[in-house]
Amino acid sequence: MIVLPAIDLHEGKCVRLFQGDYATAEVVAGDPIETAQGFAEAGAHWLHMVDLDGAKAGEPVNRRQILDVVRATGMKVEVGGGIRAMKDVAGYLDAGAARVILGSAALRSPDFVREAVKEYGGRIAVGIDAWGGMAASQGWTEQSQVNYIDLARRMEDLGVQYIICTDIQKDGTQAGPNLEMLDRLNRSVECNVTASGGVSSLLDLAALYDLGLYGAIAGKAVYAGALDLRTAVTACHKLGGRRPKTEAALNDELDRFFHKGELIPAIVQDRRTNQVLMLAYMNREALRKTLETGTTWFYSRSRKALWNKGETSGNTQRVVSVAADCDDDTLLVRVDPRGPACHTGKTSCFFKEIYGESAE
């Protein structure tokens, strides 16, 4: 599950609201770029940004500040608030935003949503904000008579892959997310659902993970210090639990390992002896296949192709665990080997001693 720290902009400042009431706007951080960089240093790769003024005005207001964050941090930023026209969608995505969030348009302009999804596919998300189970719009200032699940199903029919669901009554309260509401939604559609509103602790994140959600947005609890972002990101980055609903969602989770390039080194270790057996490289597909099959897959830089260890020799490796280093740019794959790791017949590829005492 992905944790997305939130930056809500009001008059150019980072604020948080209580239950969507603009009159309760409280400045919670200083410069948006510095705030986002702090989130990145804590390990977050995704960032949720909302132009609160734009949501009320019906057009982007804080666009420049948002794009400054996109350019300065290199984070994957999803942007919402006042995006009601294709020019605004294109303006954000062409400038480097990872996704745009359409909110009021889901209720008022389904044809616009359809056009945006047709053009940009998974880079479009729909925000469904509900009060008492009914969808709201115009920066939460207007409530409709459309049930949130009915609206979600309409969006799914339009091809929407990502839904961000907010229980307005929970937003900014740190009272815990509306698990029943989120569970009903997640079971009702095949879209990837992100929870927003009320997240206040690791227990909340664990509960959302157990529901099989795609992501969780954390705002006020992070600013207040009630939720340590680094700990939250680490906890939710564990792979091997529930598989994301779609291939795109799985790729979103794997993206953090490829922020420096298309390949990541993988150190393979015998889990019984702790001996290092080999070093190879994985691309996204190799890592995905490794996690799915429980055997090691790598990418050959010379052949420019995937290969499954032991496919021809029979010297397979059953994966016991996969861990990332502190920078998410190297993997440690612990295995139960069947046969030698090296093509020479040696147990380990590391047998050419150049200094000190040999491991064998």
Side-chain angles (χ1 to χ4, degrees):
M1 188 173 74
I2 295 172
V3 178
L4 301 93
I7 293 179
D8 292 352
L9 291 177
H10 175 48
E11 297 178 349
K13 301 182 180 67
C14 302
V15 306
R16 296 303 297 167
L17 306 182
F18 181 79
Q19 295 184 339
D21 185 353
Y22 282 64
T24 67
E26 172 192 3
V27 177
V28 291
D31 180 68
I33 293 177
E34 292 180 1
T35 302
Q37 288 173 334
F39 292 156
E41 290 170 3
H45 291 274
W46 280 86
L47 177 65
H48 176 83
M49 295 193 75
V50 177
D51 181 351
L52 293 175
D53 303 310
K56 184 180 285 188
E59 61 181 10
V61 174
N62 293 291
R63 181 175 180 273
R64 179 184 60 80
Q65 292 92 330
I66 290 171
L67 292 181
D68 284 347
V69 169
V70 171
R71 286 187 284 264
T73 64
M75 298 179 75
K76 291 182 176 293
V77 181
E78 62 175 28
V79 183
I83 303 174
R84 314 280 169 81
M86 285 299 293
K87 65 178 179 62
D88 298 325
V89 173
Y92 277 123
L93 294 181
D94 292 347
R99 275 200 295 260
V100 298
I101 307 163
L102 307 182
S104 297
L107 279 168
R108 295 167 175 262
S109 309
D111 288 341
F112 166 47
V113 176
R114 181 184 290 106
E115 181 183 4
V117 171
K118 183 179 179 180
E119 180 70 22
Y120 294 104
R123 299 184 74 188
I124 302 297
V126 164
I128 297 180
D129 309 316
W131 184 288
M134 297 300 173
S137 63
Q138 291 297 115
W140 301 351
T141 60
E142 297 180 9
Q143 188 172 3
S144 74
Q145 296 302 309
V146 179
N147 181 271
Y148 76 104
I149 288 181
D150 291 339
L151 180 58
R153 285 172 172 158
R154 293 179 195 174
M155 295 300 102
E156 183 177 29
D157 289 342
L158 295 178
V160 172
Q161 299 178 43
Y162 296 88
I163 289 177
I164 298 165
C165 183
T166 305
D167 180 354
I168 299 172
Q169 290 168 285
K170 291 283 189 177
D171 187 70
T173 65
Q174 298 186 66
N178 188 331
L179 298 177
E180 181 180 355
M181 174 182 178
L182 292 162
D183 189 35
R184 285 187 61 202
L185 175 60
N186 198 44
R187 292 175 183 272
S188 299
V189 295
E190 289 303 313
C191 303
N192 300 296
V193 176
T194 295
S196 176
V199 174
S200 63
S201 68
L202 286 175
L203 288 177
D204 289 337
L205 293 176
L208 295 172
Y209 180 88
D210 286 342
L211 294 182
L213 297 195
Y214 162 80
I217 294 168
K220 193 169 186 177
V222 172
Y223 291 106
L227 179 66
D228 180 75
L229 183 59
R230 185 180 298 278
T231 303
V233 169
T234 300
C236 290
H237 271 179
K238 183 177 180 181
L239 296 170
R242 291 176 179 265
R243 177 181 168 84
K245 284 186 173 182
T246 67
E247 198 69 22
L250 177 59
N251 287 333
D252 289 343
E253 290 200 3
L254 298 182
D255 270 350
R256 71 182 186 276
F257 301 119
F258 300 96
H259 60 285
K260 292 183 178 179
E262 291 303 309
L263 298 177
I264 186 171
I267 301 167
V268 181
Q269 180 186 45
D270 187 322
R271 69 109 172 179
R272 294 165 298 185
T273 66
N274 291 329
Q275 182 180 23
V276 174
L277 302 178
M278 57 186 290
L279 170 68
Y281 290 83
M282 293 182 179
N283 61 5
R284 286 174 176 80
E285 181 68 5
L287 178 54
R288 183 182 66 79
K289 282 182 171 291
T290 296
L291 298 172
E292 285 182 346
T293 66
T295 61
T296 51
W297 285 78
F298 304 107
Y299 181 82
S300 169
R301 293 174 295 171
S302 59
R303 300 194 304 271
K304 300 188 184 307
L306 293 179
W307 60 285
N308 182 203
K309 175 64 177 170
E311 186 173 24
T312 56
S313 67
N315 298 324
T316 58
Q317 296 171 342
R318 184 180 68 84
V319 177
V320 176
S321 66
V322 180
D325 73 341
C326 56
D327 295 320
D328 281 339
D329 60 8
T330 304
L331 299 177
L332 177 63
V333 184
R334 302 184 73 239
V335 302
D336 276 328
R338 179 182 177 183
C342 186
H343 72 281
T344 64
K346 293 284 189 178
T347 300
S348 167
C349 291
F350 295 95
F351 60 86
K352 294 181 178 180
E353 182 180 332
I354 60 173
Y355 178 80
E357 295 183 357
S358 174
E360 289 191 323

